[in-house]
Amino acid sequence: MKQNHPKKVRDLVDGVLLLDKPVGFSSNDALIKAKRVLNAKKAGHTGTLDPFATGLLPLCFGEATKFSQDLLEADKSYDTTVHLGQTTDTGDTEGEVIASRTVDVTLEQIHAVLERFRGPIAQVPPMYSALKRDGKPLYEYARAGITLEREARNVVIHKLELVSYEAPFLKLSVTCSKGTYIRVLGQDIGEALGCGAHLNALRRTQVGALTMDGMLTLEQLTAHEAPLSLLAPVDALLSSFPAVHLTAELAKRFLNGQRLALGKEAVVVPAGQGRVRVYLDGKLLGTAILGEYSILAPERLIAFNSPPASP
């Protein structure tokens, strides 16, 4: 007779892990591994890194998942090595070489081509991507030998700098808008140079305001005797927003979803309008929109096991 084993109880874990994703792991594989080590009930990542890529993968746990969308929308920075002269079917080292050409380019040509890719550009998403068509990711069509028409998408390359060139390897530093495929950027640069290319290496160094400072490997997380202590607080995701500190009475109304007229209260109000992070006695309550006349409108609220103390 089949025995029913009790389902493992997961913990309510809140915080952010700045993971250094290893080569060979999908972003989801890395998330599942970290979630298991932390025994966390709820988790999510903040933008996919290809399996061959390494570097900064912020993982959100518990209440931090409410703010992960901000990082999906954020600019990102990468260090990458472009292998000139070889084109692969995936645009990276995981694919099969489908064309080889002679590499005969000068530094002057490289600088001229890079200038063409700075600023707003249009990119055609690769077939080997997780974008879906009729409910199925494009990479499944690609693996079946099917190529579909894809519409070009507008992205912005904020920074594109040459780090070094030792033929056939071109090392670049890139900062770009959301939705940018560095694989496609490398391929397009190779085509513009007349020799084709694929990515030999890719390392993400920044996501929004988050950098590699404090980044940890899965090995470090697994080996630590108190892995929960390695998590950054939820508001690590929100450091670019001004802070508003409420009184206990205002905090109670804020957590009930009420709009607050801060101009009439003894609260320091940041200059300007837009998103802010809201606190009571150093504890994050959530985010809000600060509008005209210092009106504070709740946006995303933290769920507390017990409400903040009343005045």
Side-chain angles (χ1 to χ4, degrees), residues 47-49 54-57 76-78 203-207:
T48 302
L49 269 179
T54 66
L56 183 59
L57 180 66
K76 298 172 178 68
S77 296
Y78 301 87
R203 184 164 180 77
R204 188 155 67 191
T205 58
Q206 189 162 351
V207 179

Side-chain angles (χ1 to χ4, degrees), residues 174-193:
V174 184
T175 299
C176 55
S177 66
K178 69 164 188 173
T180 303
Y181 286 92
I182 306 298
R183 278 183 292 143
V184 174
L185 180 64
Q187 286 176 306
D188 290 347
I189 288 170
E191 289 304 316
L193 289 169

Side-chain angles (χ1 to χ4, degrees), residues 144-156:
I146 300 169
T147 300
L148 302 176
E149 288 291 322
R150 287 99 64 206
E151 285 189 15
R153 304 197 307 186
N154 295 322
V155 297
V156 181

Side-chain angles (χ1 to χ4, degrees), residues 80-86 101-105 110 164-171 186 189-190 193 195-200:
T80 187
T81 301
V82 181
H83 187 161
L84 299 179
Q86 286 188 347
R101 284 179 267 178
T102 302
V103 179
D104 183 19
V105 299
I110 290 170
S164 66
Y165 175 54
E166 294 180 18
F169 298 110
L170 186 65
K171 291 190 175 182
I189 288 170
L193 289 169
C195 57
H198 71 275
L199 288 199
N200 177 265

Side-chain angles (χ1 to χ4, degrees), residues 9-141:
V9 177
R10 298 281 182 180
D11 297 329
L12 294 174
V13 175
D14 298 322
V16 180
L17 176 67
L18 303 182
L19 183 71
D20 186 353
K21 190 192 81 64
V23 170
F25 274 67
S26 71
S27 295
N28 202 49
D29 289 339
L31 174 66
I32 290 171
K33 173 76 172 175
K35 185 179 177 183
R36 187 178 298 126
V37 172
L38 297 169
N39 195 41
K41 186 173 183 180
K42 185 178 182 182
H45 61 70
T46 55
T48 302
L49 269 179
D50 289 332
F52 89 101
T54 66
L56 183 59
L57 180 66
L59 301 181
C60 297
F61 297 90
E63 291 298 289
T65 60
K66 292 180 177 178
F67 308 100
S68 59
Q69 184 65 34
D70 298 309
L71 292 190
L72 291 172
E73 304 287 329
D75 292 340
K76 298 172 178 68
S77 296
Y78 301 87
D79 291 333
T80 187
T81 301
V82 181
H83 187 161
L84 299 179
Q86 286 188 347
T87 305
T88 68
D89 54 2
T90 60
D92 58 37
T93 56
E94 296 196 313
E96 299 291 329
V97 175
I98 55 176
S100 295
R101 284 179 267 178
T102 302
V103 179
D104 183 19
V105 299
T106 65
L107 277 175
E108 186 179 15
Q109 289 172 314
I110 290 170
H111 283 298
V113 164
L114 293 184
E115 180 60 34
R116 289 160 48 185
F117 287 91
R118 296 186 181 109
I121 64 171
Q123 276 193 340
V124 176
M127 278 300 301
Y128 280 89
S129 68
L131 291 178
K132 291 189 176 180
R133 181 76 60 84
D134 298 328
K136 191 161 72 169
L138 290 182
Y139 64 76
E140 290 190 13
Y141 293 99

Side-chain angles (χ1 to χ4, degrees), residues 198-251:
H198 71 275
L199 288 199
N200 177 265
L202 180 65
R203 184 164 180 77
R204 188 155 67 191
T205 58
Q206 189 162 351
V207 179
L210 298 177
T211 67
M212 294 192 295
D213 292 341
M215 194 167 63
L216 298 163
T217 65
L218 284 172
E219 288 77 16
Q220 289 172 316
L221 181 70
T222 303
H224 201 279
E225 60 184 18
L228 289 176
S229 68
L230 301 176
L231 294 182
V234 173
D235 58 0
L237 300 175
L238 308 171
S239 61
S240 61
F241 302 132
V244 172
H245 297 271
L246 300 180
T247 64
E249 176 56 38
L250 290 174

